[in-house]
């Protein structure tokens, strides 16, 4: 028996989400979310990224449970820096990318170890 093609259900793809109206989703603590919102103006030549890492470490040590998404945030920051265009005030972006990725790995492992200690 042949099927009538006019009776077949019509499948239509949903339109892709509009990138102009969607807001980016940021992860991590509020400190890292604020940093991600300001990455367009973030310079790396003066070593500001090291200051951001050390500041976050202090905040993390004071209240670890508020930082369960911070490893993802550091990875996202590294990716954003890696993708942006070169400028003179961004000369150390590649170093910052490596430092942020290392920090993401460190945080993920630290929080994992802390979670093992809190489960009896």
């Amino acid at each position: 028996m042949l099927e009538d093609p006019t009776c077949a259900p019509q499948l239509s793809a949903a339109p892709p989400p509009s990138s102009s109206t969607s807001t980016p989703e940021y992860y991590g603590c509020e400190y890292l979310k604020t940093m991600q919102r300001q990455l367009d103006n973030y310079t790396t030549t003066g070593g500001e990224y090291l200051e951001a890492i050390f500041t976050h470490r202090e905040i993390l040590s004071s209240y670890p449970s508020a930082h369960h998404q911070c490893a993802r945030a550091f990875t996202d920051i590294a990716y954003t820096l890696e993708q942006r265009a070169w400028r003179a005030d961004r000369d150390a972006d590649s170093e910052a990318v490596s430092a942020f990725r290392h920090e993401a790995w460190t945080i993920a492992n630290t929080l994992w170890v802390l979670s093992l200690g809190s489960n009896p």
Side-chain angles (χ1 to χ4, degrees):
M1 182 167 151
L2 295 174
E3 292 183 26
D4 184 2
T6 59
C7 294
Q10 298 296 320
L11 300 176
S12 62
S18 173
S19 60
S20 62
T21 59
S22 65
T23 57
E25 186 172 359
Y26 299 121
Y27 295 91
C29 63
E30 194 57 41
Y31 176 74
L32 293 181
K33 287 179 182 178
T34 301
M35 187 176 161
Q36 290 175 77
R37 286 184 205 104
Q38 299 172 355
L39 275 181
D40 288 340
N41 300 321
Y42 193 74
T43 60
T44 57
T45 302
E48 291 86 355
Y49 63 94
L50 294 174
E51 185 67 32
I53 289 171
F54 294 137
T55 300
H56 184 264
R57 284 184 186 175
E58 290 181 28
I59 298 168
L60 171 68
S61 67
S62 68
Y63 191 57
S65 63
H67 298 271
H68 62 276
Q69 293 184 339
C70 288
R72 162 103 189 248
F74 271 113
T75 301
D76 290 349
I77 291 168
Y79 178 78
T80 302
L81 292 178
E82 192 173 47
Q83 297 301 312
R84 70 183 185 173
W86 182 87
R87 286 190 339 211
D89 62 339
R90 298 175 177 175
D91 199 31
D93 275 7
S94 61
E95 295 166 17
V97 166
S98 295
F100 285 140
R101 287 206 172 116
H102 180 268
E103 190 65 13
W105 182 85
T106 303
I107 290 171
N109 286 309
T110 300
L111 294 179
W112 182 74
V113 169
L114 290 176
S115 71
L116 290 178
S118 65
N119 293 332

